[in-house]
Amino acid sequence: MSQTVAVLDIGKTNVKLALFDEGRLLWEKSAPNRVLPGSPYPHEDVESGWSFFLDALREAARTHRIGAIVPTAHGAAGALIGESNLAAPVMDYEFKGIDEIEPDYAKLRPPFSQSLSPKLPAGLNLGRQLAYQKWRCPDLFAKAKHFVGYPQYWAWRLSGVAVSEVTTLGAHGDLWLPRQGQVSSLVGALDVGHLLPPMRRAFDPLGPIQPDIAAATGLAPETPVFCGIHDSNASLLPYLVSRQAPFTVLSTGTWVILMSVGLSLDQLDPRDDTLANVDVLGRPIACGRFMGGREYAVIAGGGGNPDIDAIERVIASGTIALPCFSGQGGPYATTEGVVRGEVAARDRAALATLYCALVSDLLLTRMGATIGDLIVEGTFARNRPFCQTLGALRPTQRVFGAEDAAGTARGAAMLAQWPPSYLIAEPSPIAPISISGLDSYRKAWTATVDRIV
């Protein structure tokens, strides 16, 4: 039966409420997501987000009958919750002060061979955040009844039901063993097992919204709340039900997450920032990542997409961008990005596009993702020269573009009826093109980055 699903989409940059009916976007509203400075560490502006969602749900409910709510949120965030409120603020994963615990945390972190979770900068390992909160904020930590992933925090706030969920625990957090499908040794080493509520699946209904939320928004009191999902995994859902493995989805936004379904995990290497995430059914998925959206903005000096003529001008000039322009993510996160050569202001977006395509190509090769279709989803799907350049770099693989600004939310909406009974929209094929000088340009770029230690 058709129903309108409201998705709470909590990204690093924006928060959004989007309504869907069998995959069709009906309504959406967004606002900037903020990080608050100060004690005890920089943290998510949860209350502003909560106010936004209540207002947006109230507005949407005036014209749509909402039949279900599903949250999705970025990774590397979790919430210590008490009886009815947060026990501690939700840490911003870019908090660099967390580095002070690294000598002690390194003794507890499970090896990559078990966790398939590399050591990441700042708070990108969720277990590292949890250790910092326990060791540096003991008074707040002592108030915690549960520790939940960020999507499940919003589900708890809506329904009052606290649960754990595998796509969030399995997202480079050091807390999960993807091959074994169980929590890692870190949970015992930190003595936090009692804080993890029961496991539920992302598509499980937890219960109805709480009465005060129904009263504040005008939603029906019986409106169910679903467990929710890590946002990159939400982007993957449409393809899990519509494609045969092997294939790779490039989920693009602030981060570029490359998720290869049906690929061996044997070539994953923590030095490359390749790792395993866990899909909605609990299966390990080979992944690579870099902060492509942020790096693109730095190199391009703003927004906008280039054309192929601009790509070829940059190639002809020999100007190259070398990683890394974000200070986190990817195989060269610890090196400082630099542009070698001169580039006209009008061609900076072309240089950024080439850079992001080359890093994506490098990660695909190192992951062993040399067969199967490549589906570009999110921000970069609307940058056609990026898709064309990626296709030219990897001529034996077909490239598709899912030009859908609501791709993550659309995937999350599927959880309210899993597996979906409706047809999934197919991404558009990107016609192969030849780009003059690209092969030589890639060889020069690769030879230079190979010398980066």
Side-chain angles (χ1 to χ4, degrees):
M1 179 183 296
S2 175
Q3 69 172 345
T4 297
V5 180
V7 174
L8 277 62
D9 185 355
I10 302 95
K12 175 65 173 172
T13 306
N14 296 292
V15 292
K16 177 171 65 177
L17 182 76
L19 305 188
F20 296 89
D21 182 2
E22 294 192 338
R24 296 184 297 273
L25 178 64
L26 303 177
W27 185 96
E28 66 178 339
K29 187 173 185 178
S30 64
N33 195 10
R34 298 191 303 163
V35 170
L36 299 177
S39 180
Y41 40 72
H43 52 275
E44 298 279 343
D45 189 358
V46 168
E47 292 311 314
S48 287
W50 181 245
S51 296
F52 164 79
F53 285 126
L54 289 181
D55 290 344
L57 284 167
R58 186 184 309 113
E59 182 180 344
R62 296 190 190 112
T63 52
H64 297 84
R65 189 178 185 277
I66 295 172
I69 303 177
V70 181
T72 182
H74 65 82
L80 289 165
I81 55 177
E83 290 294 335
S84 58
N85 296 295
L86 280 171
V90 176
M91 185 183 294
D92 172 35
Y93 65 65
E94 295 188 80
F95 170 51
K96 297 190 184 306
I98 200 172
D99 290 341
E100 68 181 56
I101 70 164
E102 181 55 26
D104 293 322
Y105 182 68
K107 299 172 185 176
L108 305 183
R109 175 188 285 117
F112 180 82
S113 60
Q114 296 178 13
S115 69
L116 299 179
S117 177
K119 175 187 174 183
L120 300 175
L124 282 167
N125 295 123
L126 189 54
R128 202 169 181 223
Q129 293 186 32
L130 193 55
Y132 183 93
Q133 289 169 316
K134 180 173 183 176
W135 296 339
R136 294 295 186 269
C137 311
D139 292 343
L140 297 176
F141 192 87
K143 299 176 183 177
K145 181 180 179 182
H146 295 298
F147 178 75
V148 296
Y150 207 27
Q152 288 69 55
Y153 164 74
W154 296 95
W156 167 79
R157 190 141 183 189
L158 289 162
S159 69
V161 180
V163 297
S164 299
E165 189 276 325
V166 71
T167 68
T168 303
L169 282 181
H172 53 80
D174 294 337
L175 296 166
W176 193 254
L177 303 181
R179 290 190 176 100
Q180 291 82 3
Q182 64 188 43
V183 296
S184 75
S185 58
L186 180 64
V187 172
L190 286 176
D191 190 23
V192 294
H194 63 288
L195 294 178
L196 298 181
M199 294 291 298
R200 299 290 293 274
R201 297 171 298 183
F203 45 83
D204 284 344
L206 303 184
I209 56 174
Q210 300 198 74
D212 60 326
I213 296 171
T217 61
L219 296 177
E222 66 274 15
T223 304
V225 178
F226 284 75
C227 177
I229 188 170
H230 171 227
D231 59 2
S232 294
N233 277 279
S235 300
L236 184 62
L237 290 180
Y239 309 105
L240 289 180
V241 298
S242 64
R243 286 182 172 264
Q244 294 293 319
F247 63 86
T248 299
V249 174
L250 286 77
S251 175
T252 67
T254 303
W255 287 89
V256 174
I257 311 294
L258 304 90
M259 298 173 283
S260 292
V261 177
L263 185 69
S264 168
L265 306 177
D266 294 342
Q267 288 188 229
L268 300 179
D269 189 328
R271 294 170 296 183
D272 294 332
D273 203 359
T274 55
L275 63 153
N277 280 345
V278 181
D279 77 5
V280 70
L281 299 176
R283 301 171 300 191
I285 302 292
C287 294
R289 12 166 286 137
F290 69 106
M291 214 169 191
R294 184 170 293 179
E295 294 199 80
Y296 185 98
V298 172
I299 299 168
N305 296 325
D307 56 29
I308 290 298
D309 287 345
I311 297 284
E312 291 188 336
R313 284 196 300 271
V314 172
I315 290 172
S317 76
T319 299
I320 57 175
L322 299 172
C324 161
F325 295 87
S326 67
Q328 54 189 308
Y332 303 106
T334 59
T335 63
E336 186 174 350
V338 63
V339 173
R340 291 189 182 174
E342 298 293 331
V343 62
R346 65 171 180 158
D347 290 339
R348 292 192 66 87
L351 179 64
T353 296
L354 276 165
Y355 171 84
C356 290
L358 285 163
V359 176
S360 298
D361 173 60
L362 178 73
L363 283 170
L364 288 166
T365 298
R366 292 189 178 180
M367 291 165 60
T370 57
I371 59 173
D373 293 343
L374 306 173
I375 302 106
V376 182
E377 179 275 335
T379 306
F380 284 3
R382 298 188 292 279
N383 181 344
R384 191 172 185 84
F386 170 85
C387 299
Q388 292 171 316
T389 303
L390 185 64
L393 289 167
R394 308 188 72 79
T396 63
Q397 294 175 271
R398 297 186 301 172
V399 177
F400 294 79
E403 298 181 26
D404 184 358
T408 295
R410 195 185 308 277
M414 295 168 61
L415 296 173
Q417 186 189 78
W418 183 264
S421 59
Y422 51 87
L423 294 176
I424 306 302
E426 282 292 312
S428 302
I430 304 298
I433 66 168
S434 176
I435 300 177
S436 178
L438 181 61
D439 286 345
S440 296
Y441 186 88
R442 173 171 57 179
K443 288 176 183 176
W445 185 87
T446 302
T448 305
V449 297
D450 281 348
R451 292 195 292 269
I452 296 176
V453 178

